[in-house]
Amino acid sequence: MSNEKVGFVGLGGMGSGVVKNLVAKSGCPVTVFDLDDAKMEAAVENGAERGKSVQDIAANCTIFAICVTTAEVVQELSLGPNGVLTAMQKGSVFLDHTTVSPEHVDVMNAACAEHGVLYAEAPMTRTPIHAQRGEVNVLFGGEESLLERLRPVFDAYAENIFHVGPIGHATRLKLIHNYIAFANVASWCEGFALAAHEGLDMSKVIGIISAAGGKSGMMDLYGEATLKRDFTPHMSLSNAQKDVRYYAEWIEQAGLPGFMAQTVHQTYALASIMGHGDEGCSAVIKAYESLSGVEACLEDEKKS
């Protein structure tokens, strides 16, 4: 059992499952905050304590965990005269589960050091379904000693804990992973739209592709749901766009060609502009459909 007191901010798809398992398995007291009161209430019903404010949580925990939408939101909550870093105890840990940018990691690591706080870079992979089951992957970048302090906490909700190297490496690897995953979704959505345009039997599409080199984890997760017109936001399109944007900016800053990255980002940006940002990531297919005048779906799902 860990002696840590955990504060957790951000009860979205991943955060809600993480908190549920933290309460059930870690033995740590867990205080939570989210702008959505219904999500707060659900966490309290699972055994968490309702926080009065983000600053109050920060002042009364030894591990302040955050899992929100963007690096910009993390910095807005953390930095400045009213940021949570000013309230945190020296020697406590700022545990950043948000998918962010390499630049953000540098900014937050330096800011935490100025306040005597340890910055823990720990993005997660897998889906909200895995978070509910306590089966996420945690990618950790930093010192082994900090990882060992956090391991009892991670063990409550992670199936795999990967120490990927020094600080900054976890975010870089997460962005590469997410870029490849979301580029894959965009590519098969384009293929699905073309198949529909050409009148192919959509019931055969996934099976044929998955029987050879086109098989992918993202198609396994979302391919059939896409053809059934199920765009439940397990992984939202707006978050996919954000992650690909961070990757595209990073590869440009690194001085490497990022032609595909820009194309994938603009594809998701177009789908978001069309109003699909709050849907699942495979709703990117709707951009292709709007431009081609087709709907890629199984025969039973066609609109009458």
Side-chain angles (χ1 to χ4, degrees):
M1 178 181 293
S2 173
N3 293 322
E4 305 284 1
K5 294 174 62 179
V6 180
F8 203 102
V9 174
L11 300 174
M14 297 295 279
S16 61
V18 166
V19 165
K20 184 189 79 170
N21 285 286
L22 258 177
V23 172
K25 302 175 186 177
S26 72
C28 300
V30 181
T31 306
V32 298
F33 186 84
D34 193 278
L35 293 176
D36 187 328
D37 193 67
K39 292 177 180 177
M40 288 262 281
E41 188 59 36
V44 170
E45 289 177 1
N46 284 326
E49 182 178 340
R50 179 188 292 266
K52 297 176 182 177
S53 67
V54 175
Q55 287 76 12
D56 182 66
I57 291 175
N60 292 285
C61 67
T62 58
I63 297 175
F64 178 87
I66 188 165
C67 187
V68 291
T69 52
T70 67
E72 292 81 1
V73 172
V74 176
Q75 291 186 31
E76 181 180 349
L77 290 173
S78 307
L79 306 180
N82 297 315
V84 298
L85 287 180
T86 62
M88 292 180 69
Q89 307 166 28
K90 292 188 182 302
S92 58
V93 178
F94 188 103
L95 174 54
D96 200 345
H97 275 319
T98 307
T99 299
V100 294
S101 64
E103 181 182 20
H104 167 88
V105 174
D106 294 339
V107 169
M108 288 303 301
N109 189 41
C112 285
E114 288 179 6
H115 289 86
V117 172
L118 301 171
Y119 180 72
E121 176 206 23
M124 298 179 285
T125 61
R126 292 187 169 172
T127 70
I129 295 171
H130 294 97
Q132 288 292 329
R133 295 174 182 166
E135 297 174 352
V136 303
N137 294 326
V138 170
L139 281 59
F140 179 83
E143 296 292 333
E144 181 71 31
S145 58
L146 181 54
L147 174 57
E148 289 310 305
R149 176 176 173 180
L150 293 170
R151 191 177 294 276
V153 173
F154 292 157
D155 282 340
Y157 52 87
E159 181 175 16
N160 299 297
I161 303 166
F162 298 105
H163 190 185
V164 301
I167 193 163
H169 283 204
T171 290
R172 285 169 169 82
L173 190 51
K174 172 68 186 290
L175 289 179
I176 290 170
H177 167 273
N178 280 20
Y179 163 68
I180 292 171
F182 293 131
N184 183 257
V185 172
S187 68
W188 53 253
C189 282
E190 180 183 283
F192 283 6
L194 179 58
H197 183 271
E198 296 298 301
L200 301 186
D201 184 347
M202 299 305 292
S203 69
K204 301 290 196 303
V205 171
I206 293 174
I208 296 299
I209 294 171
S210 295
K215 178 178 175 62
S216 73
M218 294 299 277
M219 189 182 290
D220 289 346
L221 284 170
Y222 302 120
E224 184 177 358
T226 299
L227 294 183
K228 290 182 176 179
R229 312 306 292 175
D230 178 1
F231 299 105
T232 303
H234 302 298
M235 187 66 67
S236 74
L237 190 149
S238 60
N239 275 339
Q241 180 193 350
K242 177 262 298 185
D243 292 354
V244 175
R245 171 172 64 85
Y246 287 156
Y247 176 89
E249 291 171 349
W250 169 35
I251 198 169
E252 181 176 353
Q253 291 165 2
L256 297 177
F259 310 114
M260 288 182 61
Q262 293 296 339
T263 300
V264 174
H265 175 242
Q266 289 304 318
T267 301
Y268 280 95
L270 175 61
S272 185
I273 290 169
M274 289 178 169
H276 307 303
D278 291 336
E279 299 178 73
C281 62
S282 69
V284 70
I285 198 171
K286 294 184 179 182
Y288 296 112
E289 292 173 336
S290 295
L291 295 173
S292 60
V294 299
E295 185 176 75
C297 62
L298 299 175
E299 188 69 27
D300 292 345
E301 305 298 326
K302 287 185 177 179
K303 297 176 182 176
S304 57

